[in-house]
Amino acid sequence: MAVPRLLRAGGWVVPSRVRPGPARPSDPRVSLPAAAPRLYSTVPAPAAAVRPRAEDEKLLSEPLSHPDFFNVKELFSLKDLFDARVHLGHKKGCRHRFMEPYIFGCRLDQDIIDLDQTMQHLQLALNFTAHIAYRKGIILFVSRKRQFCHLVESTARDCGEYAHTRYWQGGLLTNAHIQFGSGIRLPDLLIFLSSLNNVFEPHVAIRDAAKMNIPTVGVVDTNCNPCLITYPIPGNDDSPTAMELYCKLFRMTIIRAKDKRRQTEVFNELRRKAEGN
Amino acid sequence: MAGNRMQKIGSVFSRTRNLLRIGVIEKPLWFDVYAAFPPLREPVYRLPRPRYGKVKDVIPPIFYQEDEVRARFYRIYGSGPRPFDLSQSNYKSICQMFVEKFNELKEEGKIEEEKLFEETGKALLASGVILQRRGTDKVARQDHQEVETRDSMSHLQLQTALGEKKDEEEQMPELAETQKENPSPS
């Protein structure tokens, strides 16, 4: 049912047996485009990195073989999440249908989020963030909560990454080449510290990131839609303690990953010099 | 540069994987990381359809054994004399002290069931906590008699209503949910 639509989207190459009959390679005027990439801008965006060497490939592939290379598990515990009131959700009437699997129960009409599941999701999300930061990816923090806009911006500044806590213009990701000029590099990861905007609707950036094939990590409260977020973290996004905890965790993982990368590069450099001598 | 902007079909990963298979894009930074550590649920778009007919609530309500004692305490004494200080995580309210004393006396077993409640009240009074019964005025004992004659009918009605409610409470089925009160760190 979805298959025919998918085949029509993007560059699908017609297999040889289905190809129409005459006027084929013998005709010099006809050139087979095959899978020619369609250029939407005048200049294609520069690649993120040149073709890596064997050593660089080992540098990038080695962390993937460990289940928790950056040891993000030690950064938080269940008690920390409980003390920061991450388990407190909204009232029963505000509950989103797709958040039901992540909710533990309902105490006098207030939803309580299952912290065991939150632990798992948080570990996956922090691990993913760390790997992206290790590979020198661009991370963008997004939050439309005015209460925490300064906190998010200072967290991003401390990590050396980017934040966007103001009004999101329609074409920021989808129309980037025209709004910012060609040769723009889009973020490789979007972190939502609150996935709703000021009118309690899903933030436009969630849909835009899914459109631009950019993975997202997001804190989803009981009134949010977790469908399109790649690595959702079910948890409270309204309490200051909870937001400070999330910012602290993200900041520590990103700094840890970047330091690890710098260390490994320096180590390889020294080893290459030693071998050269 | 090709791309696939159809966010309602498949996930980010499936679309990128298919574009790579065709060969129209270069491998993005996050692709290998996602392949090595996929999320627990594939992020596919789902249409948030409203439920029709009778909606079953799948989320269980959370109740404890101590809730019966707490309900009785709040009905008789109102919210305690001291306001809650939520800034401390180990704060113990008057109600919580009451519940703990109640459980202690219950475990000792020397007092009968019916008298337990009053005995706990007396024990708390002995330890210095003053409990004010709800519905009595602190002000002006002089008007006490006037009030009584005027509102004697409504007072009687109130008492009977409270009495009925107490019976209902005790007959209510107990929903015992054991949940760890202080979760142990993982």
Side-chain angles (χ1 to χ4, degrees):
Chain A
M1 13 109 223
V3 169
R5 284 173 73 191
L6 181 62
L7 294 176
R8 261 184 259 127
W12 185 56
V13 181
V14 177
S16 49
R17 52 193 160 85
V18 189
R19 218 167 263 169
R24 282 298 121 203
S26 51
D27 195 340
R29 285 169 300 164
V30 173
S31 56
L32 285 171
R38 292 163 68 186
L39 299 171
Y40 285 105
S41 59
T42 49
V43 174
V50 290
R51 181 99 189 90
R53 302 194 301 254
E55 202 184 76
D56 294 339
E57 278 180 24
K58 187 172 164 257
L59 185 103
L60 292 177
S61 61
E62 196 214 324
L64 295 180
S65 48
H66 297 245
D68 196 2
F69 187 71
F70 301 98
N71 205 6
V72 292
K73 272 207 179 99
E74 67 169 15
L75 292 175
F76 61 94
S77 68
L78 199 84
K79 181 137 197 332
D80 292 338
L81 293 184
F82 186 82
D83 289 336
R85 305 181 213 159
V86 164
H87 60 293
L88 299 176
H90 288 273
K91 285 277 191 177
K92 193 162 75 171
C94 297
R95 194 191 297 156
H96 193 99
R97 191 174 163 181
F98 299 147
M99 285 300 290
E100 276 162 15
Y102 305 120
I103 295 177
F104 178 81
C106 193
R107 170 73 167 164
L108 301 176
D109 274 3
Q110 185 180 8
D111 288 330
I112 306 293
I113 297 169
D114 188 357
L115 284 183
D116 293 319
Q117 291 188 50
T118 305
M119 292 275 284
Q120 285 180 306
H121 283 94
L122 191 56
Q123 195 266 324
L124 279 172
L126 289 177
N127 186 42
F128 188 80
T129 323
H131 280 277
I132 298 284
Y134 181 84
R135 287 158 176 250
K136 298 197 178 166
I138 292 182
I139 298 177
L140 182 69
F141 286 87
V142 178
S143 165
R144 202 57 183 100
K145 283 225 145 65
R146 291 191 65 169
Q147 200 179 356
F148 308 114
C149 110
H150 178 77
L151 175 70
V152 170
E153 287 177 348
S154 46
T155 310
R157 198 185 320 124
D158 295 336
C159 298
E161 296 295 345
Y162 305 84
H164 186 102
T165 54
R166 314 287 168 173
Y167 176 73
W168 183 277
Q169 273 198 317
L172 271 183
L173 289 179
T174 42
N175 207 15
H177 289 291
I178 297 179
Q179 287 195 352
F180 297 108
S182 47
I184 191 81
R185 186 178 155 191
L186 290 179
D188 301 297
L189 175 67
L190 253 64
I191 300 184
F192 287 92
L193 285 148
S194 159
S195 64
L196 298 179
N197 61 13
N198 281 350
V199 281
F200 301 102
E201 282 169 1
H203 202 294
V204 175
I206 301 177
R207 190 206 63 179
D208 283 355
K211 269 186 183 288
M212 303 307 290
N213 294 337
I214 299 171
T216 45
V217 163
V219 176
V220 281
D221 206 345
T222 47
N223 54 353
C224 307
N225 187 351
C227 284
L228 280 178
I229 299 179
T230 326
Y231 291 89
I233 304 170
N236 188 9
D237 62 1
D238 298 299
S239 295
T241 41
M243 289 299 275
E244 278 164 14
L245 177 79
Y246 299 133
C247 287
K248 184 189 87 171
L249 288 174
F250 281 118
R251 186 177 56 236
M252 284 167 77
T253 34
I254 294 173
I255 291 177
R256 200 180 260 208
K258 286 185 170 173
D259 285 342
K260 193 80 188 227
R261 173 65 182 245
R262 227 176 298 133
Q263 273 175 26
T264 330
E265 283 181 338
V266 162
F267 181 72
N268 286 351
E269 192 69 40
L270 287 172
R271 199 179 49 182
R272 225 179 298 133
K273 273 197 198 141
E275 277 167 13
N277 292 347
Chain B
M1 282 288 277
N4 189 339
R5 294 195 175 195
M6 315 203 77
Q7 83 270 19
K8 295 190 184 175
I9 295 176
S11 68
V12 181
F13 181 71
S14 65
R15 274 177 270 134
T16 322
R17 186 193 57 209
N18 294 335
L19 288 172
L20 274 176
R21 185 168 58 95
I22 303 164
V24 294
I25 55 169
E26 276 184 16
K27 186 189 277 203
L29 215 81
W30 54 270
F31 192 80
D32 288 324
V33 189
Y34 187 112
F37 308 109
L40 294 174
R41 173 196 168 259
E42 205 191 345
V44 180
Y45 178 78
R46 274 170 76 189
L47 203 65
R49 283 187 195 282
R51 287 195 172 105
Y52 295 103
K54 190 155 184 195
V55 178
K56 248 191 304 183
D57 192 9
V58 292
I59 309 280
I62 300 175
F63 285 115
Y64 302 93
Q65 289 280 13
E66 298 95 356
D67 279 352
E68 294 167 36
V69 185
R70 285 189 191 127
R72 236 175 123 187
F73 175 88
Y74 283 124
R75 203 177 339 108
I76 294 182
Y77 297 111
S79 64
R82 214 175 33 167
F84 280 55
D85 181 12
L86 292 174
S87 52
Q88 305 169 34
S89 54
N90 58 351
Y91 177 79
K92 207 176 280 190
S93 63
I94 303 287
C95 182
Q96 187 59 25
M97 292 203 291
F98 188 95
V99 165
E100 285 173 2
K101 201 44 154 280
F102 187 94
N103 287 336
E104 265 178 45
L105 292 176
K106 191 165 180 181
E107 261 166 53
E108 280 173 16
K110 292 181 202 153
I111 313 170
E112 312 155 346
E113 297 289 324
E114 300 89 20
K115 298 267 180 60
L116 257 178
F117 202 79
E118 288 128 35
E119 290 300 318
T120 334
K122 286 180 203 165
L124 271 184
L125 265 169
S127 58
V129 174
I130 301 171
L131 292 169
Q132 185 79 27
R133 277 191 170 255
R134 201 161 64 151
T136 54
D137 295 317
K138 279 188 261 179
V139 185
R141 295 252 168 145
Q142 306 141 10
D143 315 16
H144 188 66
Q145 282 173 350
E146 283 181 33
V147 169
E148 222 180 44
T149 46
R150 233 191 302 134
D151 299 330
S152 56
M153 273 309 290
S154 53
H155 207 61
L156 268 171
Q157 282 171 12
L158 196 71
Q159 279 195 336
T160 43
L162 270 176
E164 280 168 17
K165 226 179 164 188
K166 214 187 261 185
D167 292 291
E168 271 175 38
E169 261 278 332
E170 273 147 27
Q171 284 164 22
M172 216 167 66
E174 293 150 39
L175 297 155
E177 284 248 338
T178 44
Q179 191 206 15
K180 11 189 216 297
E181 277 251 45
N182 292 314
S184 53
S186 66

